[in-house]
């Protein structure tokens, strides 16, 4: 069974967006290099064109490509789903998406897409693991990611730390209010205007 990884780009002071869901410069590093994340003609990660314009530093390209290759299922909250309209049924990586929501999938919304709407974080991770098989489950950071971490269901925390201070906004760990110990980082990669970090969650 694959691992569960909580992930997002994040400001130095721990925010993944401002109060209006604007990410500011948090994703600029996806476009400031000369190395594509995806190779020419490689459609595996550009289902919706999301990855087709990404050009990053060589170090970031190697790291992100490897991470994306490992993902089978993405878990996201309903707020992000509504904000992005679920990437129009074409996630940037992985084959399946599980949405944590008390509301069902919008009627008629991309019936061909492997999107599953599940009420509750434990059920969502169970479904995501079932769909991912041996591949990883990627959990979007934020309120839902924080709930999944608090439930003891996250194996690894991965952060793309961007050198900007937001001051306020949407927190990487959501509203989590208890301490969780992480191991020493096993990934420390410096890209251009981004520092990739990954920590295993201490059990």
């Amino acid at each position: 069974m694959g691992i569960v990884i909580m992930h997002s780009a994040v400001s130095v002071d721990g925010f993944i967006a401002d109060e209006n869901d604007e990410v500011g410069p948090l994703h600029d590093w996806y476009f400031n290099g000369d190395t594509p994340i995806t190779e020419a003609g490689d459609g595996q990660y550009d289902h919706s064109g999301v990855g087709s314009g990404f050009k990053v530093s060589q170090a970031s390209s190697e790291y992100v490509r490897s991470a994306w290759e490992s993902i089978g299922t993405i878990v996201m909250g309903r707020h992000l789903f509504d904000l992005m309209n679920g990437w129009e049924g074409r996630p940037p990586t992985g084959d399946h998406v599980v949405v944590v929501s008390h509301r069902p999938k919008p009627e008629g919304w991309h019936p061909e897409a492997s999107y599953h709407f599940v009420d509750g974080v434990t059920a969502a991770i169970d479904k995501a693991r079932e769909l991912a098989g041996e591949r990883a489950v990627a959990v979007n950071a934020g309120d839902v990611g924080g709930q999944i971490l608090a439930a003891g269901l996250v194996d690894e925390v991965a952060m793309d730390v961007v050198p900007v201070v937001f001051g306020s906004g949407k927190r990487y760990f959501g509203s989590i209010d208890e301490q969780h110990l992480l191991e020493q980082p096993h990934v420390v990669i410096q890209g251009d205007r981004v520092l990739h970090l990954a920590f295993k969650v201490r059990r």
Side-chain angles (χ1 to χ4, degrees):
M1 186 175 293
I3 64 172
V4 177
I5 304 170
M6 183 176 172
H7 173 259
S8 183
V10 60
S11 68
V12 171
D13 55 342
F15 296 99
I16 57 175
D18 67 18
E19 297 290 356
N20 298 313
D21 294 307
E22 298 293 335
V23 297
L26 289 181
H27 294 172
D28 287 358
W29 63 274
Y30 278 116
F31 308 99
N32 65 2
D34 55 12
T35 306
I37 293 173
T38 58
E39 296 175 357
D42 180 357
Q44 187 176 1
Y45 311 113
D46 333 349
H47 302 295
S48 62
V50 174
S52 58
F54 290 169
K55 285 195 173 182
V56 298
S57 66
Q58 181 67 40
S60 289
S61 177
E62 293 173 1
Y63 170 69
V64 173
R65 173 175 277 270
S66 175
W68 283 6
E69 285 175 347
S70 74
I71 294 169
T73 304
I74 292 173
V75 176
M76 66 193 308
R78 185 59 182 254
H79 180 71
L80 182 58
F81 173 85
D82 289 341
L83 191 66
M84 304 295 294
N85 196 28
W87 302 293
E88 299 297 341
R90 301 175 182 178
T93 186
D95 299 314
H96 314 279
V97 174
V98 175
V99 182
V100 180
S101 177
H102 299 300
R103 292 176 284 138
K105 182 190 296 187
E107 187 174 352
W109 185 88
H110 295 286
E112 78 288 352
S114 182
Y115 278 55
H116 307 264
F117 287 64
V118 178
D119 185 358
V121 295
T122 301
I125 293 300
D126 287 345
K127 183 64 175 178
R129 282 178 160 151
E130 173 192 328
L131 293 166
E134 296 301 313
R135 299 173 73 191
V137 171
V139 174
N140 285 108
D143 284 331
V144 165
Q147 291 172 37
I148 294 171
L149 178 67
L153 300 173
V154 171
D155 300 307
E156 184 174 310
V157 171
M159 313 174 98
D160 301 319
V161 183
V162 176
V164 59
V165 175
F166 271 33
S168 65
K170 306 294 178 71
R171 296 169 56 193
Y172 180 97
F173 293 103
S175 58
I176 196 169
D177 60 359
E178 56 190 359
Q179 187 178 93
H180 293 267
L181 292 177
L182 308 178
E183 300 293 352
Q184 291 279 77
H186 62 277
V187 172
V188 181
I189 298 172
Q190 183 174 336
D192 184 3
R193 300 289 297 170
V194 64
L195 179 65
H196 305 289
L197 299 173
F199 312 80
K200 295 187 185 303
V201 176
R202 183 174 292 183
R203 300 300 187 192

